[in-house]
Amino acid sequence: MGTAEQIRNQYNRIPPRIEIMDSTLRDGEQTNGVSFLPHEKLMIARMLLHDVNVDRIEVASARVSEGEKEAVRMICRYAQSIGKLERVEVLGFVDGNQSVDWLLDCGGRTINLLAKGSLKHCLQQLHKSPEEHIADILEVVKYADRHQVNVNLYLEDWSSGMKDSPEYVYQLIDALKDSSILRYMLPDTLGIMNPLQGVEYMRKMVKRYPEMHFDFHAHNDYDMAVSNSLAAVLCGARGLHVTVNGLGERCGNAPLSSVQVILKDHFQAVTQIDESRLGDISRLVEGYSGIAIAPNQPIVGENVFTQVAGVHADGDNKDNLYCNDLVPERFGRRREYALGKNSGKANIAKNLAELGLELTPEQTKRVTKRITELGDKKEIVTQDDLPYIVSDVLKHDAPEDRVKLVSYVVSTAYGLKPGANVRVEINGKQYEAGATGDGQYDAFVKAMRFIYRKYLNRTFPILANYQVSIPPGGRTDALVQTVITWQMDDGRLLRTRGLDADQTEAAIKATFKMLNIFEVES
């Protein structure tokens, strides 16, 4: 048989042209809990055909429901209007003329006929001999021919057939090879195959029937759908079946995005896919299906183009040391550098540069320290938060804090007034007090007023206004900005801000910025 490398070297002499058939609207809809409305099917079909530019789409199973028929009619009307009607396919059954008539009533022109690809399925599910099953298939094919309907043939459970009853598989194709069937579609229906078997089985098919067009249809039960798809292409398959986001029964099918990029990058295969729209179709199907995309899903996941470690950002600054062929711009996206406790100066610098913010090395160091502190409290710090973090660090930042928070405890309980106990250091001396108030921050301020009045015999500035907001684009579990306006003894207003994951702590930070300004001016 030869090694996989030998096969690859031989096959890669001429880049293969691979047809991509997307079955999201048929096989993908068999995902537990997924049911697309007719207009949703139309929107997905439009994007697959027009924007993503897949070769073919399988949109339904014949004879399922009136709603399914309406969806197929809508899709066929659209496909015909753009000259792509023959790219729309419907799964049909070996049922005489019923599936073909159903397809014709919808305006369709291509049927994917479901036959049995293993002797076990033929005998035990159909209770028919191979000869009887072949005769039934030919009857449907001839009826389709009379009505100018294109026929592709699924050999359901083909992988089991090749494993347990290969002579049955050959008997079936030998009897059908002179018919008008355009493509023979070979499914790993139970998801049991591994890539070595994929190489073996597909090579046998191509060697025996070199002129035939074979599609491969993978299932992901052993997490090998993509690997098996590539093994099939390596050995001569001309088409692959995929679904958006890997939707499908049980563990799903081979994901469109993963199959596309591996075909192109590792096998130099030629497809018609517009890679820049893979993210768009992924999000559309995510929204309609209700099945969330994992953040680390290759190509389309939220986090896959986000560098977290500072050393990676540093490497990217030095000739893109941490980049590969999967550049985000290829897919209509951009690389991001996450902000959090693992961020280094290079990460911060990348984000600052994108926002057009220029800081000195010392300022960048202080901003990095602040982001690290915030990252220890909350997982998410967004780029939209960054200007606010910069302001928080640099604005009203005295060279040395003369008023420092040593420790504090705030509490709240049902039926009791919130309380606060505070210990602060003012000009090198520590003071402590406790108080209750209408809220945790109110209790904190009252404790501070008590310290200033009793121990320092000084007036504490009056709180004139208090605003809380989430920075635009930020998330509710990220940062809270508190802006407090203070009225000073001389009547002027002073505004300070605090930024933190906790609202009370953000207000306390704003308070201590005011107190340090107050102390310097006193």
Side-chain angles (χ1 to χ4, degrees):
M1 181 174 67
T3 66
E5 188 65 27
Q6 289 171 333
I7 298 169
R8 176 177 174 175
N9 289 339
Q10 179 181 358
Y11 193 55
N12 277 347
R13 290 174 186 168
I14 301 175
R17 164 72 170 92
I18 303 300
E19 279 189 358
I20 301 296
M21 192 273 271
D22 185 280
S23 187
T24 303
L25 299 178
R26 199 276 298 175
D27 217 4
E29 197 180 32
Q30 292 177 196
T31 305
N32 185 32
V34 173
S35 179
F36 298 117
L37 296 172
H39 80 274
E40 293 174 338
K41 281 200 165 192
L42 176 61
M43 292 300 101
I44 294 170
R46 285 171 63 100
M47 183 170 283
L48 285 169
L49 285 174
H50 184 267
D51 301 318
V52 183
N53 200 32
V54 298
D55 294 283
R56 299 143 51 203
I57 56 173
E58 190 175 46
V59 300
S61 297
R63 301 167 48 204
V64 169
S65 68
E66 283 303 311
E68 194 83 330
K69 179 176 281 190
E70 178 57 28
V72 176
R73 283 175 176 155
M74 292 166 65
I75 293 169
C76 287
R77 282 197 297 268
Y78 167 73
Q80 187 169 32
S81 73
I82 61 171
K84 296 183 178 181
L85 180 58
E86 291 189 354
R87 296 191 185 192
V88 177
E89 302 172 5
V90 170
L91 179 75
F93 307 97
V94 182
D95 55 9
N97 62 356
Q98 294 183 69
S99 289
V100 174
D101 286 345
W102 192 93
L103 173 72
L104 290 168
D105 193 40
C106 296
R109 304 306 309 172
T110 304
I111 193 165
N112 293 339
L113 201 58
L114 188 67
K116 299 303 179 183
S118 69
L119 183 61
K120 185 176 182 180
H121 271 219
C122 182
L123 296 178
Q124 297 185 22
Q125 189 171 34
L126 297 182
H127 303 292
K128 291 190 175 184
S129 68
E131 292 76 16
E132 290 173 319
H133 188 36
I134 290 168
D136 291 343
I137 295 169
L138 286 171
E139 179 187 349
V140 178
V141 172
K142 290 174 183 177
Y143 184 78
D145 290 343
R146 290 198 298 272
H147 291 82
Q148 298 180 314
V149 170
N150 301 319
V151 179
N152 302 315
L153 187 74
Y154 270 115
L155 300 183
E156 187 182 19
D157 200 34
W158 167 80
S159 53
S160 295
M162 291 300 291
K163 177 175 176 288
D164 301 324
S165 54
E167 292 307 317
Y168 165 79
V169 177
Y170 302 147
Q171 178 186 0
L172 200 69
I173 298 182
D174 286 342
L176 299 171
K177 63 183 180 181
D178 294 326
S179 70
S180 62
I181 294 172
L182 298 176
R183 302 174 183 87
Y184 290 82
M185 307 196 295
L186 312 177
D188 180 23
T189 303
L190 303 179
I192 58 173
M193 207 166 72
N194 64 53
L196 293 178
Q197 291 170 319
V199 168
E200 177 187 354
Y201 300 162
M202 188 59 68
R203 287 196 74 214
K204 288 179 177 178
M205 298 295 289
V206 172
K207 183 178 180 180
R208 188 177 178 106
Y209 308 103
E211 301 304 318
M212 286 188 175
H213 178 116
F214 291 118
D215 281 1
F216 178 70
H217 180 108
H219 280 266
N220 204 37
D221 296 69
Y222 281 96
D223 203 20
M224 291 192 287
V226 173
S227 299
N228 288 335
S229 297
L230 298 173
V233 166
L234 195 64
C235 297
R238 300 186 191 178
L240 291 176
H241 296 186
V242 298
T243 59
V244 177
N245 300 338
L247 291 183
E249 198 167 26
R250 305 187 311 276
C251 300
N253 295 27
L256 165 62
S257 54
S258 296
V259 167
Q260 163 61 24
V261 298
I262 297 176
L263 280 177
K264 181 175 180 179
D265 292 2
H266 289 267
F267 296 93
Q268 293 73 53
V270 177
T271 71
Q272 300 302 308
I273 301 298
D274 183 347
E275 293 181 338
S276 69
R277 304 308 302 269
L278 290 175
D280 296 332
I281 188 63
S282 179
R283 298 286 176 240
L284 182 68
V285 171
E286 179 186 42
Y288 285 156
S289 69
I291 304 296
I293 305 166
N296 63 339
Q297 176 79 17
I299 313 305
V300 295
E302 182 180 356
N303 294 344
V304 296
F305 297 117
T306 301
Q307 302 278 36
V308 174
V311 66
H312 292 170
D314 180 62
D316 288 347
N317 282 332
K318 298 169 181 174
D319 199 24
N320 292 324
L321 296 181
Y322 289 91
C323 294
N324 56 25
D325 288 340
L326 299 175
V327 293
E329 291 77 14
R330 175 176 166 185
F331 308 106
R333 300 178 64 180
R334 63 184 181 88
R335 192 170 303 283
E336 297 179 1
Y337 296 87
L339 300 170
K341 64 182 180 180
N342 293 313
S343 298
K345 287 186 292 183
N347 248 14
I348 307 302
K350 281 275 191 181
N351 281 278
L352 289 171
E354 285 194 18
L355 294 171
L357 297 172
E358 296 184 10
L359 302 183
T360 67
E362 178 59 29
Q363 290 172 331
T364 301
K365 182 179 179 181
R366 285 152 60 192
V367 170
T368 301
K369 180 182 177 183
R370 185 74 178 103
I371 289 173
T372 302
E373 291 171 354
L374 291 166
D376 279 331
K377 295 179 181 180
K378 288 287 183 180
E379 180 181 349
I380 299 171
V381 180
T382 70
Q383 189 185 67
D384 296 297
D385 297 323
L386 190 54
Y388 295 85
I389 296 172
V390 172
S391 295
D392 180 56
V393 171
L394 303 184
K395 195 171 185 180
H396 304 312
D397 197 24
E400 182 180 354
D401 289 342
R402 296 171 64 178
V403 183
K404 301 177 182 177
L405 179 63
V406 178
S407 64
Y408 78 95
V409 175
V410 291
S411 62
T412 184
Y414 181 73
L416 299 175
K417 296 193 76 172
N421 290 290
V422 181
R423 179 179 294 173
V424 296
E425 181 182 305
I426 304 174
N427 294 320
K429 188 173 180 179
Q430 292 194 4
Y431 305 93
E432 187 172 342
T436 59
D438 293 331
Q440 292 179 339
Y441 177 66
D442 183 51
F444 180 89
V445 170
K446 285 182 176 178
M448 291 297 300
R449 289 187 188 281
F450 179 84
I451 290 172
Y452 270 72
R453 184 177 64 250
K454 180 176 181 179
Y455 299 116
L456 303 177
N457 194 30
R458 291 165 58 185
T459 303
F460 192 91
I462 297 172
L463 192 153
N465 194 19
Y466 179 100
Q467 294 178 313
V468 177
S469 64
I470 298 171
R475 306 189 185 196
T476 55
D477 60 351
L479 301 179
V480 174
Q481 177 179 251
T482 302
V483 180
I484 303 178
T485 304
W486 307 91
Q487 184 174 335
M488 312 306 281
D489 287 344
D490 57 6
R492 66 189 175 91
L493 298 178
L494 173 66
R495 183 178 291 108
T496 58
R497 72 181 66 201
L499 198 71
D500 200 88
D502 179 82
Q503 178 179 327
T504 300
E505 192 155 337
I508 291 171
K509 282 181 166 59
T511 303
F512 272 79
K513 287 182 179 181
M514 176 275 296
L515 290 174
N516 274 287
I517 296 170
F518 183 46
E519 197 64 32
V520 169
E521 294 178 349
S522 297

